[in-house]
Amino acid sequence: MEKPYEPSLTIQETPVGKAWLHKRTGTTEKTIAFKKFQIRRLNEILIEKFFFINGLLAILILLGIFCLLFIKGFPAFREIGWKSFFTSSVWNPNSYSIPQYGILSLITSTLMVTLGALVIAVPLGVACAAFISQVASRRVREILKPAVEILAGIPSVVVGFLGIILVNPLIAKVFGISNGLNALNGSILLAIMSLPTIISLSEDALRAVPKTYKEASLALGGNDWQTLIRVLVPSALSGIIASIMLGMGRAIGETMTVLMATGNAPALTFNFLDAIQTMTSTIAIELGEVPYNTTHYYALFVIGLVLFIMTFVVNLVSDIILQKYQQVER
Amino acid sequence: MKKRWSERIGFLMLYLAGILVLFFLGVILFDIFIKGVGVLSWNFLTQPPRMGMTEGGIFPAIMGTFMVSIITVIFAVPLGMFAAIYLNEYAIPGKITRLIRLAIRNLSGVPSIVYGLFGVVLFVQMFRFGTSVLSAGLTLGLLTLPWTITACEEALKTVPKSYREGALALGATKWHAIRTNVLPYAIPGMMTGVILGLSRAAGETAPILFTGAAFFLPHLPKSLFDQFMALPYHLYILATQHHAIEKVRPIAYGTALVLLGLILLLNLSAIWVRYRYRQKMRG
């Protein structure tokens, strides 16, 4: 049987056909391929632009938060005045005669619980990080590290709940007072909340110290403790400080635990056994009750703005420290 | 060489620090479990609260948290994934990229209550979604976005460079290479991050205080624009706002246990996914 005749080229593919096609439409094989290539390239560019816009989202949200807080908070300044806002310590927006909006006591309260939390969490956290990275055996490490992760995942409202139920009676008993819902309670809870941040980041910093440092110290006759305190910790100091700053940022912005455990009485006090009211809990308590777009409502947004700026600065500083430290490591 | 006293005491302190951290975690888990487990029953999980929340279960709160979390995921995961793809695959090191990374790190440090304020203005007032499941879900989505981005980027980073280069050398375009040779290998890692973000969102209270959580609602939300009950908010109310706090304490413990259990479950499943994924990559 003979094979039926099959042309190996279509008409357009013969040299004559190509010339004819070129004359009719002005396209050549090359230009067709080029057009296809162009379309694909356009697609690629569009796809890249699409991802780029998504990448910009983080900046947009950050700016958006700042702008909205500022816009919503601005009328409060007009109605209350900058000066009395930041220098008056009386926060009494529900007063029938003259409502007073002074956020000084709220700021000091926030700083007070944060400081208290750091006093507890920093030594404990750094010691625990040193323990995990330098001392603990593999098995102990494999228990401790997930434990820290789980601790980080515990919702703040559960920690606050335990503050009411466990820490509250404990403080009342130890100090002989009737009510244990105060700044000390808040500090203890915030310490627990910021511990995971401090531990895991400090541990990373300690682990990043080159092994040669440790070996050199041991070779010079230093014992393990001296090596840890005089070589490893100083080398990792910037990372440790950055971790502390991040933990501090968390403590400043933490809402539910302080809302539940600090007693919520706005007062300018520096006694850890007094009930206080932080910025976060003020917003949490009062925003649900005020009508939209009143002076009180605007004032709460100013508190939010101050809070935002405070955490922003703290995070930025920790970021700068971390960047510098990474550069040195390289 | 004999160990010196200072060294011994120092190391003892480190041990104590480790033990103390374990102790904190142990107390939290143990206390909630012991006092909460007695309340748990099928009825507790499937009944709405009754008699002014002094009896009955927490079913609407469980479902509310579930629904809000789904909206959070639907909103945050694609956005986070796209942003991560940009950062890891397309971005050229430079000013804008540095700025984006800075913004992401700072976003993850913004207090949750500030997200709540933002959600009130943007979703409740400007977009007119009202206090609703939708508003709360979107607010939580914004909150988890930085974590989602970071997690997705970490996952993309684990895919070897040669996978991309192989596809590119065969003439694939960049997007084609990413789609066929990078994403399939990064998806399990991304899942881990998504689940962890979800567990964060499920436990957050402050952002939903004003964007949609309801004090008490015996039925489930009928649409996206209804208010809802949520586990963490329910616990907050039972612990501080209820008129008979001592009477509802067992229910509060039960709620805390369910919330904690849910979050631990999510964390464990994230660890499991990561473990499976690592084995697969090895094999």
Side-chain angles (χ1 to χ4, degrees):
Chain A
M1 279 256 297
E2 249 181 62
K3 274 187 180 172
Y5 171 70
E6 277 177 30
S8 61
L9 294 169
T10 58
I11 276 284
Q12 283 94 333
E13 282 168 351
T14 61
V16 180
K18 270 184 196 164
W20 172 78
L21 199 69
H22 181 59
K23 226 176 172 181
R24 283 285 307 265
T25 62
T27 52
T28 62
E29 256 179 18
K30 263 191 184 165
T31 53
I32 291 172
F34 185 64
K35 282 242 162 78
K36 268 190 186 165
F37 172 69
Q38 269 188 325
I39 290 171
R40 262 171 61 173
R41 205 173 61 171
L42 189 70
N43 255 339
E44 284 293 306
I45 291 173
L46 286 180
I47 288 169
E48 187 175 341
K49 285 272 174 300
F50 170 75
F51 284 130
F52 176 61
I53 290 168
N54 273 294
L56 285 183
L57 207 64
I59 298 179
L60 290 180
I61 295 173
L62 200 63
L63 280 178
I65 291 176
F66 179 78
C67 289
L68 276 188
L69 288 179
F70 191 79
I71 291 169
K72 282 285 167 184
F74 194 71
F77 288 128
R78 237 191 4 234
E79 286 162 34
I80 303 161
W82 293 83
K83 216 176 156 195
S84 73
F85 210 93
F86 288 109
T87 53
S88 161
S89 64
V90 183
W91 177 263
N92 190 4
N94 294 324
S95 160
Y96 286 108
S97 50
I98 314 158
Q100 281 180 295
Y101 304 94
I103 64 169
L104 191 65
S105 75
L106 308 179
I107 295 179
T108 55
S109 298
T110 292
L111 292 180
M112 203 166 107
V113 274
T114 305
L115 189 77
L118 288 181
V119 167
I120 303 169
V122 168
L124 195 57
V126 175
C128 189
F131 179 67
I132 293 177
S133 70
Q134 305 298 332
V135 186
S137 66
R138 216 192 129 111
R139 260 179 61 199
V140 175
R141 197 183 309 150
E142 269 169 15
I143 297 171
L144 254 174
K145 280 192 85 165
V148 172
E149 270 178 54
I150 292 174
L151 196 62
I154 290 180
S156 51
V157 69
V158 172
V159 178
F161 179 58
L162 289 176
I164 295 176
I165 288 189
L166 293 181
V167 186
N168 175 15
L170 194 71
I171 290 177
K173 204 187 254 176
V174 170
F175 293 95
I177 44 181
S178 60
N179 190 346
L181 294 177
N182 51 27
L184 179 64
N185 195 337
S187 295
I188 293 173
L189 299 184
L190 282 185
I192 294 176
M193 298 290 299
S194 52
L195 261 179
T197 313
I198 296 179
I199 292 176
S200 58
L201 289 171
S202 294
E203 195 218 328
D204 287 346
L206 281 170
R207 202 173 284 275
V209 177
K211 224 175 177 177
T212 46
Y213 287 26
K214 189 177 174 181
E215 284 159 1
S217 164
L218 292 175
L220 286 172
N223 60 29
D224 283 338
W225 178 248
Q226 287 166 333
T227 306
L228 180 67
I229 292 299
R230 303 213 186 132
V231 177
L232 294 177
V233 171
S235 314
L237 198 61
S238 48
I240 293 174
I241 290 174
S243 82
I244 293 169
M245 299 289 285
L246 278 184
M248 185 175 151
R250 269 203 82 166
I252 291 176
E254 187 47 60
T255 309
M256 295 319 287
T257 43
V258 285
L259 173 62
M260 293 164 89
T262 55
N264 298 322
L268 190 65
T269 172
F270 294 101
N271 183 353
F272 272 89
L273 294 179
D274 280 348
I276 54 159
Q277 181 169 320
T278 63
M279 294 196 278
T280 49
S281 32
T282 305
I283 301 175
I285 295 168
E286 294 171 12
L287 192 69
E289 296 166 357
V290 298
Y292 287 161
N293 303 333
T294 55
T295 309
H296 187 182
Y297 178 79
Y298 296 137
L300 292 178
F301 274 86
V302 178
I303 299 179
L305 186 65
V306 174
L307 203 57
F308 177 79
I309 293 172
M310 277 167 79
T311 49
F312 187 85
V313 169
V314 168
N315 284 323
L316 203 66
V317 171
S318 112
D319 211 67
I320 292 168
I321 295 172
L322 262 185
Q323 296 298 352
K324 256 197 186 141
Y325 140 85
Q326 275 170 352
Q327 274 167 11
V328 169
E329 283 304 313
R330 265 175 221 143
Chain B
M1 197 173 76
K2 241 175 106 180
K3 283 195 174 182
R4 276 199 297 183
W5 272 107
S6 65
E7 190 179 10
R8 277 198 195 163
I9 293 172
F11 279 119
L12 189 69
M13 302 277 269
L14 298 190
Y15 266 100
L16 283 179
I19 289 169
L20 202 59
V21 170
L22 275 183
F23 174 75
F24 282 149
L25 181 69
V27 166
I28 293 174
L29 297 182
F30 184 76
D31 189 65
I32 298 273
F33 183 77
I34 288 295
K35 293 181 187 153
V37 78
V39 197
L40 279 195
S41 68
W42 185 244
N43 280 341
F44 186 70
L45 295 176
T46 56
Q47 298 280 320
R50 272 176 288 128
M51 312 284 286
M53 291 192 268
T54 54
E55 281 173 32
I58 52 169
F59 182 64
I62 296 175
M63 287 311 286
T65 290
F66 186 67
M67 289 168 79
V68 154
S69 307
I70 286 179
I71 295 174
T72 304
V73 167
I74 291 175
F75 176 64
V77 170
L79 288 180
M81 221 167 100
F82 295 154
I85 290 175
Y86 173 74
L87 282 174
N88 200 51
E89 306 293 329
Y90 287 102
I92 319 154
K95 256 193 182 149
I96 296 182
T97 310
R98 273 224 309 277
L99 210 61
I100 291 175
R101 289 189 189 282
L102 188 71
I104 292 171
R105 281 194 298 268
N106 266 302
L107 268 186
S108 62
V110 170
S112 52
I113 188 93
V114 171
Y115 278 103
L117 287 175
F118 185 61
V120 167
V121 177
L122 192 70
F123 300 125
V124 178
Q125 289 183 281
M126 278 167 80
F127 291 173
R128 298 185 184 285
F129 293 156
T131 48
S132 61
V133 187
L134 187 61
S135 298
L138 294 178
T139 309
L140 285 177
L142 287 181
L143 178 97
T144 50
L145 193 63
W147 281 297
T148 317
I149 296 176
T150 317
C152 289
E153 212 194 331
E154 290 296 319
L156 285 170
K157 264 186 200 146
T158 58
V159 180
K161 225 176 180 173
S162 54
Y163 286 31
R164 298 177 183 91
E165 283 160 357
L168 290 176
L170 289 173
T173 59
K174 198 160 187 181
W175 168 233
H176 200 93
I178 293 171
R179 204 179 36 176
T180 54
N181 270 26
V182 178
L183 284 184
Y185 301 98
I187 292 282
M190 290 181 174
M191 284 278 293
T192 320
V194 168
I195 298 171
L196 288 178
L198 192 65
S199 81
R200 279 214 104 95
E204 277 292 349
T205 321
I208 61 172
L209 280 177
F210 329 109
T211 51
F215 190 84
F216 173 67
L217 211 64
H219 58 83
L220 298 181
K222 289 191 186 64
S223 78
L224 284 178
F225 299 101
D226 273 2
Q227 289 198 330
F228 63 100
M229 288 181 81
L231 277 176
Y233 187 53
H234 193 60
L235 174 58
Y236 166 63
I237 287 169
L238 290 180
T240 61
Q241 307 286 302
H242 200 272
H243 56 86
I245 286 184
E246 290 305 324
K247 206 173 160 195
V248 295
R249 198 109 292 169
I251 300 185
Y253 263 114
T255 311
L257 181 59
V258 172
L259 179 61
L260 211 54
L262 186 77
I263 280 161
L264 287 185
L265 208 67
L266 283 171
N267 278 324
L268 280 181
S269 59
I271 291 170
W272 184 74
V273 170
R274 188 164 53 191
Y275 175 73
R276 282 295 300 268
Y277 167 61
R278 277 201 187 138
Q279 284 208 323
K280 221 165 111 190
M281 289 293 270
R282 227 177 270 149

